[in-house]
Amino acid sequence: MSAASIRSLSKSKQTARIVIIGAGTAGIAAATRLLEQGFKNVLLLEAEDRIGGRINTIPFADNVIDLGAQWCHGEVGNVVYERVKDLNLLETTEGHYETFRCVRSNKEVLSDEVADNLKSIAFNSIPERQTELTDYKGSLGDYLTQKYWKELEKLPAINQTIAEEFLENFHKFESSVEAADHLYEVSGRGHLEYWLCEGELLLNWRDKGYKSFLRLLMQSKQNNPDDLGVLKGRVLLNKRIAQINWTGADEVLIRCWNGEVLTADHVICTVSLGVLKEQHSQLFVPALPEAKVRAIKGLKLGTVDKLFLEYALPPLPKDWPGFCCLWLAEDLQELRSSARFWLESVFGFYPVSYQPRLLQGWIIGEHARHMETLTEEQVLEGLLWLFRKFLPFDVPQPVRCLRTQWHANPNFRGSYTFRTTMADELRTGAWDLEAPLLDIGGRPRLQFAGEASHKHYYSTVHGAAETGWREADRLNSYYRSKTAQL
Ligand SMILES: Cc1cc2nc3c(=O)[nH]c(=O)nc-3n(C[C@H](O)[C@H](O)[C@H](O)COP(=O)(O)OP(=O)(O)OC[C@H]3O[C@@H](n4cnc5c(N)ncnc54)[C@H](O)[C@@H]3O)c2cc1C
Ligand SMILES: *[C@@H]1O[C@H](CO)[C@@H](O)[C@H](O)[C@H]1NC(C)=O
Ligand SMILES: *[C@@H]1O[C@H](CO)[C@@H](O)[C@H](O)[C@H]1NC(C)=O
């Protein structure tokens, strides 16, 4: 036996050095679970100057806003919900994404009756565990479009032009749920792989934000907003990793962008699918196996951005809980040939719980990526133009405007993942992303966690947390079986 393998075999939970790349949900979940299991040498390396990753709660207006994850999606089988349900932290979000007005680009507001009919047809066309989808070969876009028009035949009184404008808008709304550029790249069949947790789908964190969940995992001190709890002294910020070299049987070499090299016995990599797509061929030595590269190519991390507008007073009339934008064909054509073309993918503005002076808008896809390259002034100018175009009343000047840039940031390169039709073609999926890389003796050396690696709860915080725990448990069972053998 080589000296290196003897060294590695003599490692125990007390001495094994575990490095976790990324201090987002998956990294924090993995680290806290490893410590619970008795591992002593656990270190998180984070590229940003803050922890949390795609959970980013910041002070804003009357309390806080979430630039990333905002709601706990569902209850049954949702580990986030399970952890906090008795702590009075979550609250149902009242109808913000149901009661909005539908406004056309000629300022015409759809009647409640027409709007309600169109909303209910559209929402009912989304496949939730619909068995007819099991053998469906097309995209979610094909499925949704066919179903929508079929259902609409039952309501001949609804004007086709308006129904079409609404469908266009709904496609964008649903694309934001998926984080897809458009629904024709989302696998229809693959949609069944995503498990919806039963119960309330939009549970908000009151005036505290999603960060509350991470604080709970870390057991942060109540009175200190920056307390890392059990992770104190175990997180290195501003440590962007450039290379993970797991050649040979001995330790893994981790090189930071500034040239510094750290060593570990095990590495758990939690960087986003977007970072993997851009970096994997340089990041890993030796190169990743074929199957994993296929998963990195086949799955997709799309772009969804938020647009926050803060006003001195609540900006919309009382009977306007928010609105979505329906484009008349001729107006859209004109917009497309202007510099404001990106506004086409801003699909609506909605209230924010506990923030009466805010409006939250959403933008998706290619146009979101373009918006990220504009200055904040240009973004604001565009949004005010959009309000003037659509709204039949004046909206005051906001006191502050803020937009997210999830794609432009090299530590994310997007928002959350979905299963593409190409992933079906390549017969790949989260299971290939999850697979750990072991040495000849079956010892995990390089493990993968993060929302994209969850087979059923990808794109969510509860999914990300489970993947962190999964990889901690994998190491724990390795060390348990190892002790049993001795
Ligand atoms: C706009 C938006 C809205 C969302 N809304 C919701 C929601 O309402 N509900 C919900 O459940 N989910 C939501 N999500 C998804 C949710 O935020 C993510 O699924 C989850 O936070 C991902 O956690 P993660 O640990 O997998 O990845 P991340 O949080 O991305 O963590 C990975 C970490 O790795 C770091 N990193 C990257 N590259 C390197 C490197 N080279 N070296 C070192 N560190 C590196 C990153 O900085 C990051 O901190 C939303 C996401 C976005 C962007
Ligand atoms: C539907 O609405 C459009 C636009 O408002 C209008 O031009 C058209 O005449 C309407 N069609 C019918 C059948 O009412
Ligand atoms: C990776 O590490 C090995 C030693 O374990 C070393 O020989 C090799 O040169 C390294 N590769 C790179 C590309 O740095």
Side-chain angles (χ1 to χ4, degrees):
M1 206 182 271
S2 75
S5 13
I6 291 169
R7 259 200 308 280
S8 72
L9 276 176
S10 65
K11 291 281 178 182
S12 67
K13 279 187 180 185
Q14 317 292 320
T15 55
R17 294 161 304 167
I18 300 148
V19 164
I20 299 169
I21 317 288
T25 304
I28 290 172
T32 48
R33 165 99 25 129
L34 285 166
L35 293 170
E36 268 167 41
Q37 286 163 336
F39 288 90
K40 299 288 178 228
N41 203 328
V42 179
L43 183 67
L44 288 126
L45 306 179
E46 169 55 55
E48 294 273 312
D49 60 2
R50 59 171 185 90
I51 63 157
R54 281 172 276 167
I55 290 182
N56 190 8
T57 307
I58 62 160
F60 197 85
D62 295 331
N63 42 74
V64 299
I65 51 172
D66 272 307
L67 301 182
Q70 182 168 0
W71 299 286
C72 172
H73 294 312
E75 300 172 13
V76 181
N78 182 320
V79 293
V80 173
Y81 182 78
E82 290 296 326
R83 277 274 166 128
V84 308
K85 64 181 176 196
D86 300 324
L87 303 176
N88 201 27
L89 291 169
L90 291 174
E91 187 183 79
T92 309
T93 304
E94 297 290 349
H96 291 173
Y97 289 83
E98 288 157 31
T99 54
F100 55 88
R101 298 264 167 156
C102 302
V103 202
R104 304 179 74 205
S105 53
N106 61 0
K107 299 190 183 354
E108 187 187 316
V109 184
L110 301 197
S111 73
D112 285 350
E113 194 198 341
V114 170
D116 289 348
N117 272 321
L118 290 172
K119 286 178 198 172
S120 94
I121 291 176
F123 280 114
N124 290 331
S125 304
I126 304 174
E128 273 166 28
R129 301 190 196 139
Q130 293 184 20
T131 42
E132 62 185 88
L133 222 62
T134 320
D135 299 317
Y136 194 74
K137 294 286 189 296
S139 68
L140 186 60
D142 297 324
Y143 182 87
L144 181 71
T145 306
Q146 283 160 14
K147 190 125 178 154
Y148 179 85
W149 288 119
K150 205 164 142 222
E151 286 300 307
L152 208 74
E153 280 170 15
K154 297 175 192 160
L155 294 169
I158 293 185
N159 181 307
Q160 291 283 306
T161 309
I162 290 173
E164 197 151 338
E165 291 168 10
F166 184 85
L167 180 62
E168 279 302 307
N169 181 269
F170 188 72
H171 265 254
K172 289 175 206 146
F173 171 83
E174 187 57 21
S175 295
S176 82
V177 174
E178 300 285 338
D181 277 16
H182 52 79
L183 296 180
Y184 299 103
E185 61 175 353
V186 183
S187 160
R189 189 163 20 125
H191 200 70
L192 294 177
E193 302 282 329
Y194 181 83
W195 290 355
L196 207 62
C197 298
E198 272 170 47
E200 289 291 337
L201 289 178
L202 294 183
L203 293 160
N204 71 70
W205 297 85
R206 300 177 194 268
D207 54 352
K208 300 286 191 289
Y210 217 133
K211 187 171 118 188
S212 314
F213 175 64
L214 299 180
R215 290 176 54 80
L216 212 67
L217 288 183
M218 300 186 297
Q219 300 170 38
S220 303
K221 287 198 189 70
Q222 290 277 344
N223 49 8
N224 179 355
D226 300 317
D227 184 44
L228 296 184
V230 297
L231 297 187
K232 192 166 174 221
R234 299 184 179 278
V235 185
L236 301 182
L237 299 175
N238 303 307
K239 281 270 178 286
R240 189 161 171 221
I241 303 312
Q243 193 180 73
I244 301 167
N245 181 348
W246 57 292
T247 314
D250 211 354
E251 53 196 12
V252 183
L253 305 175
I254 302 154
R255 187 158 53 77
C256 309
W257 278 73
N258 65 4
E260 186 187 347
V261 176
L262 295 139
T263 54
D265 299 303
H266 307 276
V267 169
I268 302 178
C269 181
T270 76
V271 305
S272 77
L273 181 68
V275 173
L276 288 176
K277 274 181 193 285
E278 188 174 77
Q279 300 283 330
H280 78 87
S281 55
Q282 299 99 281
L283 196 53
F284 301 100
V285 178
L288 295 176
E290 196 63 31
K292 201 170 290 291
V293 173
R294 214 164 35 235
I296 292 170
K297 285 192 177 140
L299 299 172
K300 193 167 162 183
L301 182 80
T303 310
V304 178
D305 279 312
K306 297 183 182 179
L307 309 156
F308 290 99
L309 294 164
E310 177 188 352
Y311 294 87
L313 295 167
L316 299 179
K318 282 240 159 8
D319 56 343
W320 277 69
F323 61 93
C324 73
C325 305
L326 310 186
W327 283 96
L328 270 61
E330 57 269 30
D331 286 341
L332 192 55
Q333 211 170 358
E334 201 182 312
L335 178 80
R336 282 177 177 164
S337 55
S338 79
R340 300 193 183 94
F341 65 93
W342 56 276
L343 290 168
E344 178 177 354
S345 297
V346 176
F347 59 84
F349 289 84
Y350 309 86
V352 184
S353 302
Y354 290 84
Q355 291 276 22
R357 298 186 292 114
L358 291 198
L359 277 183
Q360 177 174 344
W362 295 86
I363 181 170
I364 56 151
E366 192 60 51
H367 291 149
R369 291 188 285 277
H370 177 79
M371 179 282 295
E372 292 187 12
T373 67
L374 302 176
T375 64
E376 222 154 60
E377 289 70 33
Q378 287 170 315
V379 172
L380 179 61
E381 189 273 334
L383 297 180
L384 295 183
W385 179 88
L386 192 72
F387 286 6
R388 283 195 301 273
K389 175 94 188 144
F390 277 82
L391 295 177
F393 47 79
D394 287 336
V395 180
Q397 186 77 15
V399 294
R400 201 166 155 198
C401 170
L402 193 121
R403 47 70 195 266
T404 60
Q405 291 170 294
W406 288 107
H407 182 266
N409 187 327
N411 298 324
F412 299 97
R413 289 288 183 241
S415 305
Y416 37 96
T417 59
F418 64 96
R419 264 196 77 82
T420 61
T421 45
M422 188 170 63
D424 289 344
E425 289 290 318
L426 295 174
R427 294 179 199 286
T428 186
W431 55 90
D432 284 328
L433 207 56
E434 161 182 352
L437 304 180
L438 314 172
D439 69 9
I440 320 168
R443 177 173 60 127
R445 314 229 39 217
L446 182 52
Q447 294 165 258
F448 293 83
E451 55 88 10
S453 74
H454 200 294
K455 292 197 225 18
H456 303 298
Y457 297 141
Y458 53 87
S459 81
T460 66
V461 172
H462 53 282
E466 280 197 7
T467 66
W469 292 334
R470 177 189 74 206
E471 296 312 316
D473 291 347
R474 195 189 303 279
L475 269 186
N476 192 41
S477 26
Y478 170 75
Y479 278 94
R480 265 216 312 261
S481 66
K482 205 175 113 180
T483 329
Q485 277 166 17
L486 291 180

